[in-house]
Amino acid sequence: MTSVWGMARASSVALLGVDAMIVEIEVWTGSGLPRTTMVGLPDAALAQAKERCRAAVLSSGFSWPSQVLTINLTPASLPKTGSHYDLGITAAVLATESIIPVGALDEVIMLGEVGLDGAVHPVRGVLPALLGARQLGITKAIVPASQLSEAELVSDMSVRGVRNLLELIVVLRGGQGSDALPNPAPVVLDPQAPDLKDVIGLASARWALEVAAAGRHHLYFHGPPGVGKTLLASCLPSILPDLSQDEALEVAAIHSLVDISIPALPTRPSFSAPHHSASLASLIGGGARIARPGAISLAHRGVLFLDEAPEFPSPALEALRTPLESGEIVLGRSEIAVRYPARFQLVLAANPCPCGLASTPSSKCTCTPMAIRRYAGRLSGPILDRIDLKAQILPLRRSLVGFDPLEPESSQSVAERVQLARNRQAARLQDTPWLTNAEVPGRYLRKELPLPGGMELLERAQTSGGLSARGLDKVLKIAWTIADLAGVGRPQRDHLAVALGLRQGEECIG
Ligand SMILES: [Zn+2]
């Protein structure tokens, strides 16, 4: 008895964080009792793929091999998760049945989940998968039709969208797929977004916010509840420059792993404010098998705001240390470690004590000195040392509310100054890998750039124990940002003095 067998091969992508690897889907059919097996480290959702694919093929009017059918995903050692391999599995099975030509599957990436009725459903991670595949030299992809506009954000790639298996067959036989969906609506800036024109008073704290925006410095607001810490923090994105094309792709790639569909590239930095009761996994990323991105990665190139920061569990705060230094987080899991970008701008806010009322004029604080010390101590030295600017906000005197003779400046006009200061930084740092003052390593600041006037101020602060080595570098960075905002070529003694005050958290009275 001669054995009759067939084989076909399709390609898809495994995502480890935002890093992509090509997965080959091999389908083999041979004589024997009908049986379908899947090998190559599938997870539960993927193990069910054979049932979904079989139902989809049958309900689309085609036959499923009535023999032994083996589906192998390689490399076998790589854990595979999710339902996006369905489309490639189905295509390879249809090729063994000669419904589509085997050669049509060469060099094309397929992503999509199939429904029992043969419909092709959207999946997470289309954008990072295609960005990664493109880097690996792949130039053709087939994706769910509803995600065609997301897939087309990847340049130099020919992408086809399919709504169901019949369209998949048509496309792989050389016909047309679904037309591109109409272009997504242009991004409209949210008129309700927080704006500095709604912030009354708080001149010094507004200034700290502007300096933070200009140099991309991390910021810490300290003061009683109700003084406007949260409102000010939420205004920070409104004065930051637009995202560049590359930054927007990075951000969209991360979001596409969480939101199922990315209709357009983001143009503005995001604002993420996780609550202190959020789990560690939702804050820094995690989950079973291949870890998913957390709030710190969703805030990549945007603002991460931790209100009532001392209330966050210390493992959560400590977990911020590495991404604050490196701009990324590596999440180790039992099976594999994944990496996500996490270059966020951190804004912390804290009350002076657990009840929040210490330091208000008519202090009704009932906290014990012990409780206040313990509360303050929850923000550890290493975290505070990585914060560039500290601003203490005291309550606005009631008599002044409503009597401010000047209309508060709007976010738009502050944003223009921030952009000019960023341009000066970009010009100064054009031969370096850095774009903003906050990123520049201390060594470069001290050796390659002219030192500001008034360095003895820093020596004095260091000798008196009020300034760490990292703190000294931070003051230099802030001084450069202040000089950039002032439009001068080199920080002066005054700039350094102001920078030292901002670093050490002088009082900002409304
Ligand atoms: Zn209190």
Side-chain angles (χ1 to χ4, degrees):
M1 183 180 152
T2 50
S3 86
V4 180
W5 60 276
M7 183 160 163
R9 205 176 264 130
S11 305
S12 191
V13 174
L15 282 172
L16 302 172
V18 289
D19 300 319
M21 284 187 73
I22 304 295
V23 169
E24 296 289 345
I25 302 163
E26 294 174 335
V27 170
W28 184 90
T29 61
S31 43
L33 288 175
R35 185 180 75 229
T36 301
T37 49
M38 180 179 284
V39 291
L41 275 186
D43 73 347
L46 184 49
Q48 291 158 1
K50 60 187 183 192
E51 307 304 332
R52 280 195 303 275
C53 295
R54 182 170 180 274
V57 166
L58 294 175
S59 36
S60 303
F62 299 94
S63 59
W64 188 259
S66 55
Q67 298 157 294
V68 175
L69 174 66
T70 305
I71 302 164
N72 180 34
L73 305 176
T74 60
S77 59
L78 188 68
K80 299 164 197 80
T81 184
S83 53
H84 67 274
Y85 298 102
D86 288 7
L87 203 60
I89 293 170
T90 311
V93 170
L94 291 171
T96 64
E97 294 285 279
S98 304
I99 294 162
I100 47 179
V102 174
L105 304 181
D106 291 345
E107 305 278 301
V108 54
I109 288 295
M110 282 181 246
L111 300 165
E113 177 185 318
V114 300
L116 301 181
D117 57 354
V120 175
H121 297 303
V123 290
R124 293 194 175 89
V126 165
L127 183 57
L130 295 196
L131 284 170
R134 182 69 200 83
Q135 279 184 346
L136 296 168
I138 306 277
T139 57
K140 288 191 285 181
I142 300 177
V143 301
S146 59
Q147 292 181 286
L148 194 54
S149 52
E150 174 180 344
E152 285 177 336
L153 297 173
V154 183
S155 51
D156 302 325
M157 195 145 200
S158 156
V159 191
R160 308 295 285 278
V162 293
R163 280 175 298 196
N164 51 50
L165 290 194
L166 291 175
E167 286 190 353
L168 175 71
I169 292 165
V170 169
V171 163
L172 289 171
R173 283 176 173 172
Q176 291 293 316
S178 250
D179 284 336
L181 297 173
N183 279 335
V187 179
V188 182
L189 289 183
D190 179 6
Q192 303 295 313
D195 192 293
L196 283 176
K197 71 179 188 307
D198 302 321
V199 178
I200 296 163
L202 303 179
S204 313
R206 287 174 67 114
W207 165 239
L209 194 77
E210 181 171 336
V211 174
R216 208 175 170 282
H217 300 289
H218 304 301
L219 176 63
Y220 176 29
F221 281 134
H222 189 256
V227 290
K229 303 190 296 287
T230 305
L231 176 58
L232 266 176
S234 63
C235 287
L236 179 53
S238 71
I239 58 172
L240 292 173
D242 282 341
L243 298 176
S244 71
Q245 173 86 7
D246 285 348
E247 291 172 338
L249 274 172
E250 290 170 14
V251 172
I254 301 165
H255 280 259
S256 111
L257 296 166
V258 177
D259 312 329
I260 203 118
S261 174
I262 303 294
L265 281 187
T267 57
R268 303 285 307 145
S270 65
F271 181 77
S272 173
H275 191 258
H276 55 72
S277 63
S279 69
L280 189 60
S282 73
L283 187 67
I284 67 158
R289 295 204 97 202
I290 296 174
R292 306 222 308 161
I296 64 169
S297 292
L298 296 172
H300 179 60
R301 305 280 179 201
V303 175
L304 180 72
F305 176 52
L306 303 187
D307 201 2
E308 299 185 43
E311 302 285 356
F312 279 79
S314 46
L317 294 170
E318 294 306 310
L320 299 176
R321 282 166 59 171
T322 312
L324 281 172
E325 296 287 317
S326 65
E328 62 178 31
I329 180 112
V330 176
L331 300 163
R333 280 295 166 276
S334 54
E335 291 188 62
I336 201 144
V338 299
R339 179 192 64 89
Y340 288 110
R343 196 171 290 286
F344 51 86
Q345 187 171 4
L346 182 62
V347 181
L348 299 178
N351 296 331
C353 68
C355 82
L357 297 176
S359 88
T360 50
S362 55
S363 182
K364 296 194 181 78
C365 172
T366 52
C367 305
T368 62
M370 176 77 151
I372 293 178
R373 263 203 310 281
R374 203 182 310 127
Y375 184 79
R378 295 187 67 167
L379 283 179
S380 73
I383 286 294
L384 288 182
D385 210 30
R386 283 167 173 79
I387 300 290
D388 309 55
L389 304 169
K390 302 186 184 89
Q392 182 166 11
I393 311 180
L394 295 181
L396 202 59
R397 262 179 292 149
R398 201 158 279 285
S399 59
L400 289 174
V401 179
F403 291 93
D404 196 336
L406 294 171
E407 185 85 355
E409 195 179 19
S410 73
S411 286
Q412 196 189 336
S413 64
V414 179
E416 285 165 15
R417 284 197 299 273
V418 167
Q419 182 67 61
L420 287 174
R422 286 281 184 103
N423 296 349
R424 288 192 189 95
Q425 292 164 64
R428 181 168 64 246
L429 299 169
Q430 61 174 333
D431 298 324
T432 75
W434 316 294
L435 285 171
T436 56
N437 289 331
E439 294 167 79
V440 178
R443 200 186 141 69
Y444 186 87
L445 279 174
R446 284 177 266 113
K447 307 276 183 210
E448 307 294 331
L449 295 177
L451 285 172
M455 285 298 282
E456 76 280 1
L457 291 172
L458 301 191
E459 280 154 31
R460 218 177 298 149
Q462 264 202 311
T463 321
S464 66
L467 197 61
S468 66
R470 186 184 273 119
L472 183 138
D473 289 343
K474 298 261 188 216
V475 176
L476 287 177
K477 295 177 195 189
I478 300 162
W480 273 103
T481 301
I482 294 169
D484 289 327
L485 279 168
V488 298
R490 178 187 162 184
Q492 311 297 312
R493 186 190 166 86
D494 285 356
H495 301 138
L496 198 67
V498 173
L500 188 60
L502 282 170
R503 166 74 191 164
Q504 296 184 319
E506 285 181 354
E507 291 180 354
C508 296
I509 302 169

